[in-house]
Amino acid sequence: MIGVRHIPVMAREVVDALQPRDGGRYLDGTFGAGGYTTAMLDRADCQVIAIDRDPDAIAAGKALAERYAPRLRLIEGRFGDMADLLSAEGVEDVDGVALDLGVSSMQFDQADRGFSFRASGPLDMRMEKNGQSAADLVNDADEVELADIIWRYGEERRSRRVARNIVEARRAKRIETTGELAEIVRRAVGPQGRDESDPATRTFQALRIAVNDELGELERGLAAAEQVLAPGGRFAIVSFHSLEDRAVKEFVRARAGRTPGPSRHAPPSAGGRVATLRDLSRKPVLPSDEEVAGNPRARSARLRVAEKLGAGDRA
């Protein structure tokens, strides 16, 4: 991991949204290479507690922790468990939470982690380096389950054909590498237009999400972030595909008391949910053209921000 250049996506917008202040305490739930963490620590004389489920990220971050000691603490774990992890550190609440969802640039760029098909490597995709790998899933799941995963998490229109081709290929030989899988998927999907992504992209996204339970982790992380925020604290969440962005949008909308109401012809219900968050970005914040030009991975990024309401702010 060391030596791989990492450019944090929308770091200025995330830090501007969180408004770190001297004496404040903030949580970076997806530490990675420390882009958001560094930006917050440089913006104010504050403390940051940084979490990452990838042991490589925590190991590589030790130098940064020494540089910013004692203002930075690193914790190996999942951001969905942030409430318990903070409690174990004796921390009750924080003034802001930053999340950069999905896989990091370092994970993508390391062929031996198996997240990318740009260079063939073992078909792994595990952020924590334990549990079921993508190879296990691809070789052991039945055709119906594979098709469902590829459709649900990758929104791949040819999911059934992809699953069928995977099952046919593994009858002859276990699928072990990203290169092998990518070729199987490309043959099933067929050529894309000049400006479209590689035909294997959606299937790889789907498998990665399934292997790491990313949407389940996001659901737990949103609830935990609301729980650990102090009144007036904010969370800033950057997502990279529609499934993530939709989950964040719907969570904030519900907690802000903006869930769709019943029909005007229906009898009134017995009260709605009390708002606990203020939605600060009814529409997602997008990266600037300059950022996308300098970092193409930012092109699909979407930032949403919400603020925890205090008891006196609630209707």
Side-chain angles (χ1 to χ4, degrees), residues 164-175 184 187:
R164 185 166 59 249
N165 281 26
I166 288 173
V167 171
E168 289 175 357
R170 76 189 191 193
R171 289 196 184 107
K173 175 186 175 296
R174 184 176 171 86
I175 302 167
I184 293 166
R187 288 195 296 269

Side-chain angles (χ1 to χ4, degrees), residues 202-226:
R202 291 179 179 273
T203 295
F204 269 66
Q205 172 185 296
L207 294 172
R208 189 199 81 221
I209 290 173
V211 165
N212 295 289
D213 186 26
E214 290 181 27
L215 294 182
E217 181 70 1
L218 175 56
E219 181 180 352
R220 293 184 290 273
L222 287 165
E226 180 187 24

Side-chain angles (χ1 to χ4, degrees), residues 84-97:
D84 291 338
L85 294 172
L86 289 175
S87 179
E89 294 287 316
V91 176
E92 293 185 2
D93 56 30
V94 294
D95 299 300
V97 175

